[in-house]
Amino acid sequence: MLGAAAVLGAVVVVPGVATAAERPAVVAAARVGTVVADGLRGEGDVVRAAAAARHGGAPDGRGAGVVPAGTVQIDAERTWELDHTPNQVLTGPLGTAAPGAVTFAYAGDSVTARPGSWLRDLASDPAVHALGGYAHSGYRADQVDALMPAVPGADVLVVELGTNDVNQAVPATQTIAAVNALVTREGAPHVLVVDTPPSDHTTSLWGVDRRTGNAAMNRDLATDARQHGWMVIDPFAADRTADGAYAPGTTLDGIHPTTAANVAIARRLASAIVATGHATSTGTSAAGTTTSGTTAAGA
């Protein structure tokens, strides 16, 4: 299909690109200009055709008007950021199960997958045991949902997703739908939803204020959790300032907690996982209340 693509100056118009095999060529083209792909389903599929219309279809004016309504535009800078996000992936079990450990599955992004993350710290915690899951740096909720394996036997499903959706301007309704689909398919008896982390960034290449966007996402996640009777935790509460930024010394890049900060974050999450797994009914918080969607553990 790519052989039939129309090359218009620095713009490549690719009708109906949808297969994984075709995406690398699209990404490569984006590095030297702009890719406009009708129906592209890939890393930049939240950037809409408004930008394409703004450029008149092609930088040199040829092909103006050939981009159909609803096309997806990926510009070189956004594609470079997505393509160069460290490919940190975590899947499968971690550590060895101790007698009486609460078992859990995990679904997350780089906050979960990175070296020194809360999940890696919990591999040595005898109170909990990760049976499996999927976490991938830079991935949105729908991408993790598509790759999440079945993890039978988990007492708790821990969902740490949403901040990449915010960064890429994905509507919250789509993020919530992906989370709900993932939870439904996994079928764990208890669910623990993790707030998105603080952010020192008030903009992104998608034109989003990540700090206020994360705060809004946390409200939407909590509302959805409340409706389903799931637990919610903000394990970053002690690291989050009043305006949603990281507290001094708790981040190096303004996006992820430091390895040292993750030690305390892991401790809070372990307590919340245990409390969620031991809850007598869905929606019971670690504090012993029976309010659905309440915070599972404090800072």
Side-chain angles (χ1 to χ4, degrees):
M1 183 178 295
L2 285 172
V7 179
L8 307 170
V11 174
V12 183
V13 179
V14 188
V17 175
T19 69
E22 291 166 334
R23 289 176 195 155
V26 174
V27 170
R31 291 197 187 101
V32 296
T34 300
V35 173
V36 180
D38 182 11
L40 177 67
R41 298 280 299 176
E43 311 301 349
D45 61 357
V46 296
V47 185
R48 297 302 170 189
R54 188 166 60 248
H55 290 301
D60 62 359
R62 291 181 291 143
V66 302
V67 181
T71 19
V72 175
Q73 172 162 316
I74 309 174
D75 69 39
E77 191 175 11
R78 293 186 179 105
T79 302
W80 189 95
E81 177 181 284
L82 290 166
D83 197 40
H84 286 74
T85 297
N87 196 37
Q88 297 155 335
V89 182
L90 195 57
T91 189
L94 279 80
T96 303
V102 173
T103 58
F104 70 97
Y106 55 88
D109 47 44
S110 58
V111 171
T112 297
R114 284 165 62 91
S117 72
W118 66 269
L119 180 55
R120 295 181 190 273
D121 283 346
L122 290 189
S124 60
D125 191 322
V128 295
H129 177 56
L131 293 180
Y134 189 81
H136 197 135
S137 55
Y139 269 28
R140 305 181 305 268
D142 65 310
Q143 293 172 300
V144 174
D145 174 41
L147 294 167
M148 179 75 178
V151 186
D155 299 317
V156 179
L157 171 61
V158 180
V159 180
E160 181 276 307
L161 293 167
T163 189
N164 291 316
D165 298 64
V166 170
N167 181 46
Q168 296 179 39
V170 176
T173 53
Q174 294 183 22
T175 305
I176 297 301
V179 168
N180 290 346
L182 188 155
V183 171
T184 299
R185 191 175 60 256
E186 288 299 315
H190 302 285
V191 178
L192 178 62
V193 177
V194 181
D195 275 6
T196 61
S199 178
D200 289 349
H201 297 266
T202 56
T203 187
S204 80
L205 291 175
W206 286 261
V208 176
D209 183 333
R210 297 187 67 168
R211 188 180 301 173
T212 60
N214 277 0
M217 177 61 69
N218 290 341
R219 291 192 293 271
D220 291 331
L221 288 170
T223 297
D224 186 58
R226 188 176 304 112
Q227 293 169 352
H228 290 90
W230 303 335
M231 299 287 201
V232 180
I233 180 175
D234 181 5
F236 313 102
D239 310 306
R240 194 190 307 270
T241 63
D243 65 352
Y246 272 98
T250 59
T251 185
L252 295 177
D253 61 5
I255 300 173
H256 306 96
T258 62
T259 300
N262 270 324
V263 172
I265 290 167
R267 187 168 59 248
R268 297 171 200 134
L269 276 163
S271 296
I273 291 168
V274 170
T276 303
H278 289 165
T280 56
S281 63
T282 303
T284 303
S285 77
T289 65
T290 56
T291 304
S292 299
T294 54
T295 301

